[in-house]
Amino acid sequence: MSSLTARQRWTGLAVLVLAVTVVALDATVLSLAIPSISETLRPRGTQLLWIGDSYSFVLAGLLVSMGALSDRIGRKKLLLAGATAFGAASLLAAYAPSAGWLIVARALLGVAGATIMPSTLSLIRGLFPDDRERATAIGIWGAAATAGAALGPVVGGVLLEHFWWGSVFLMNIPVLLLLLGLGLWLLPESKDPKPGRWDVLSALLSLAGVIGVVYAVKEAAAHGVGRWDVPVAFALGAAALAVFVRRQLRLETPLLDVRLFRDRRFTAAVSASAISLIGLSGVIFVVSQYLQLVRGYQPLQAGLAELPAFAGSVVGGLLTARVARRFGARGALTACLLAMGLGVGVLGWLGQDTTYLMLAASFLLVGTAEGVVYTLGADLVLSAAPADKAGAASAVSETAYELGTALGIALVGSVVGSIYADGLAVPAGTDPAVAARAGESLGSAVEAAQGLSPELAQPLLASAKEVFVSGMNSAGLLAAALLVGAAVMAWRLLRGLSGPGAAAGTPVAASESPEAAKTSEESETSEVSETSEVSETSEVSETVRA
């Protein structure tokens, strides 16, 4: 692919940007449709969370497997096959007759999305062999991914203003048709020249492990650890992941080279991406309901109210290389995680009538910082991995993104739901069935109040809004604490390491002892420090300093 002209490379990037935008947008576009779905399909509280979670859970569980598969069968081939499946699953979701069907359709969208995401980032590495060009391309790609997630509520608001909730899925169809046509024409094929076999057992273990652990975390946050299925799911998931790791260390051609995590740049980037998305996705999920059901915004108004996050994520993604040059990747990553913590922490002080300017400032800060974190993390991951394993490494980065999204909705949504259910005061004389319905979620309470007399409806709504905001305050402070912890972790992991260029930070071989690994890292850091003035690395990679 190095023989491609500049025009072919950048037009190919445009196709990949289109693909990643669709997948990222689908993760958040549903947030504003939750009230409409609650009214139409009448999901239970747990079903409502799974409607939001199933997409990201399945996507996260399959990304590593699909990333490795793309290295073997061809990244372009898997990307186009996934786009076709994504369109079919979108049709099923749009016309789902029940909450259960919608959960299944969202899970199928996750399967299809898992074939798209790692292919886009690994194709970028092949399209742009030059480090400086690749840094710019990854910046554009990262801006598209974060902007797609932030733009979801805006697009959803426009559609819901004129159509039913299923329209947020149907919008995928024309975009995917364009992607298929342009992708066949513009994208070159690439794959690992010596891929080895694709291990089916490893794929199943990674899927079972991710879903088992995340399910346990989600249910524990919502109901506590007393239920029998929580420790069982966690134990099974953790066991599956442990077997997965041991199997990868033994395989000649592993599905995921877990030795990559010996490189502290790789570990810091993956962890930071996951934790930052917990804050961002949790905020979008909860605040979308707050704007509509507490403040009374129409869907389009609510989408536009979240627009500062979209603008900030685009700016942050495009400015990543400049920020990293100015402050170093260590400083940039840490500072932006702290900024996200500050922005998310604002939710801890929001009330029912808080001025919108405070919320807009929070969105702008969180979106801008996330744009830098996500793009810089992707560059660190790609730089740490060998070129022939770009698909698998990209999948780890995307797994962190989707796992963070799923955990954000699960943790933040579960905390809010738990506080809401415990604190809701139902007026005396309310029918028990109506009271039970109102206790499921704020949307259910709004719907239940429509069938009550004003004497019962008004105090029910007042209590529902009050306890929902209280839950949102607690969830905001929890997410902020996680982001501050991620900043501390990134600062420590990136200490003493040089830039993620090809010459630096090579992952330590499995056979080396911890002492040898430490010596190797110190030696490599010293060598790179002595030659940094004459070595050429990418715009982002050349700036990571101790």
Side-chain angles (χ1 to χ4, degrees):
M1 282 189 281
S2 58
S3 61
L4 294 176
T5 66
R7 182 176 181 179
Q8 288 173 318
R9 291 196 299 273
W10 292 107
T11 51
L13 176 66
V15 177
L16 299 178
V17 163
L18 186 65
V20 75
T21 302
V22 169
V23 177
L25 188 147
D26 218 67
T28 58
V29 71
L30 199 63
S31 59
L32 287 178
I34 292 298
S36 298
I37 291 173
S38 296
E39 182 179 352
T40 305
L41 300 183
R42 298 179 177 272
R44 297 187 301 274
T46 303
Q47 286 181 315
L48 198 62
L49 285 179
W50 278 112
I51 288 172
D53 284 341
S54 57
Y55 174 77
S56 293
F57 281 177
V58 174
L59 188 56
L62 286 175
L63 274 168
V64 170
S65 302
M66 293 302 179
L69 185 62
S70 73
D71 287 337
R72 287 160 171 77
I73 70 171
R75 292 146 189 163
K76 173 182 176 179
K77 184 183 299 182
L78 193 64
L79 172 66
L80 298 181
T84 303
F86 203 89
S90 296
L91 282 174
L92 179 60
Y95 296 102
S98 66
W101 273 105
L102 182 56
I103 293 171
V104 170
R106 291 277 289 166
L108 292 175
L109 280 168
V111 174
T115 67
I116 296 175
M117 293 295 279
S119 298
T120 59
L121 191 53
S122 54
L123 279 168
I124 286 177
R125 179 158 187 166
L127 280 169
F128 297 94
D130 178 75
D131 290 332
R132 292 181 178 273
E133 277 196 340
R134 187 170 67 244
T136 303
I138 291 176
I140 295 172
W141 176 90
T146 52
L151 188 59
V154 180
V155 175
V158 172
L159 292 172
L160 292 168
E161 194 78 10
H162 303 285
F163 307 102
W164 96 114
W165 60 264
S167 62
V168 301
F169 297 108
L170 290 182
M171 70 167 187
N172 294 334
I173 306 301
V175 179
L176 291 167
L177 290 175
L178 180 63
L179 169 62
L180 288 170
L182 293 177
L184 284 169
W185 174 39
L186 294 172
L187 291 178
E189 183 59 280
S190 71
K191 60 182 179 180
D192 186 346
K194 298 179 180 179
R197 69 186 185 91
W198 192 68
D199 188 51
V200 177
L201 180 57
S202 294
L204 294 175
L205 286 170
S206 67
L207 177 63
V210 168
I211 291 180
V213 170
V214 173
Y215 172 83
V217 172
K218 170 181 173 295
E219 293 300 311
H223 308 292
V225 296
R227 283 178 29 178
W228 68 270
D229 58 326
V230 172
V232 170
F234 184 83
L236 292 176
L241 289 177
V243 175
F244 172 80
V245 170
R246 290 177 61 87
R247 186 171 179 82
Q248 303 317 295
L249 291 172
R250 293 198 305 267
L251 289 175
E252 183 178 351
T253 55
L255 200 66
L256 169 65
D257 188 357
V258 295
R259 294 178 182 86
L260 287 171
F261 285 94
R262 293 177 181 269
D263 189 319
R264 285 183 284 161
R265 295 164 303 149
F266 189 90
T267 301
V270 170
S271 303
S273 296
I275 298 175
S276 67
L277 261 296
I278 290 176
L280 181 62
S281 63
V283 166
I284 290 176
F285 182 78
V286 173
V287 172
S288 294
Q289 297 177 68
Y290 164 78
L291 292 173
Q292 291 182 82
L293 300 176
V294 175
R295 301 190 68 129
Y297 287 16
Q298 295 299 312
L300 180 56
Q301 282 181 289
L304 293 175
E306 297 177 13
L307 196 59
F310 160 69
S313 63
V314 173
V315 172
L318 294 176
L319 292 181
T320 298
R322 184 175 300 178
V323 172
R325 280 199 307 272
R326 176 66 179 83
F327 301 103
R330 185 191 186 201
L333 193 62
T334 303
C336 287
L337 286 168
L338 288 174
M340 286 191 72
L342 176 62
V344 171
V346 169
L347 290 182
W349 285 270
L350 282 183
Q352 296 188 40
D353 55 356
T354 302
T355 175
Y356 169 71
L357 289 178
M358 183 177 178
L359 192 57
S362 171
F363 276 141
L364 182 61
L365 180 61
V366 171
T368 304
E370 168 58 21
V372 176
V373 170
Y374 182 62
T375 307
L376 183 56
D379 187 80
L380 286 168
V381 166
L382 272 188
S383 300
D388 58 351
K389 303 299 180 186
S394 303
V396 175
S397 176
E398 293 310 316
T399 299
Y401 181 94
E402 295 302 331
L403 198 55
T405 299
L407 281 173
I409 294 175
L411 288 176
V412 175
S414 297
V415 168
V416 173
S418 178
I419 293 175
Y420 174 86
D422 291 340
L424 180 65
V426 179
T430 304
D431 182 85
V434 175
R437 178 67 180 161
E440 291 283 349
S441 66
L442 178 57
S444 298
V446 171
E447 180 189 351
Q450 294 175 357
L452 298 176
S453 64
E455 293 77 13
L456 295 177
Q458 291 178 4
L460 175 63
L461 285 176
S463 175
K465 292 178 181 181
E466 181 181 353
V467 295
F468 180 87
V469 171
S470 176
M472 183 178 68
N473 296 155
S474 300
L477 294 176
L478 171 63
L482 288 173
L483 286 161
V484 172
V488 173
M489 177 205 64
W491 181 258
R492 291 178 62 86
L493 285 175
L494 293 176
R495 181 178 56 194
L497 293 182
S498 58
T506 304
V508 181
S511 59
E512 291 183 338
S513 65
E515 292 76 11
K518 182 177 180 181
T519 302
S520 176
E521 286 178 352
E522 292 175 349
S523 174
E524 289 166 355
T525 302
S526 174
E527 290 174 9
V528 174
S529 299
E530 294 171 0
T531 61
S532 60
E533 294 184 358
V534 297
S535 64
E536 180 179 357
T537 56
S538 70
E539 291 188 58
V540 175
S541 301
E542 67 185 354
T543 61
V544 183
R545 296 289 189 268

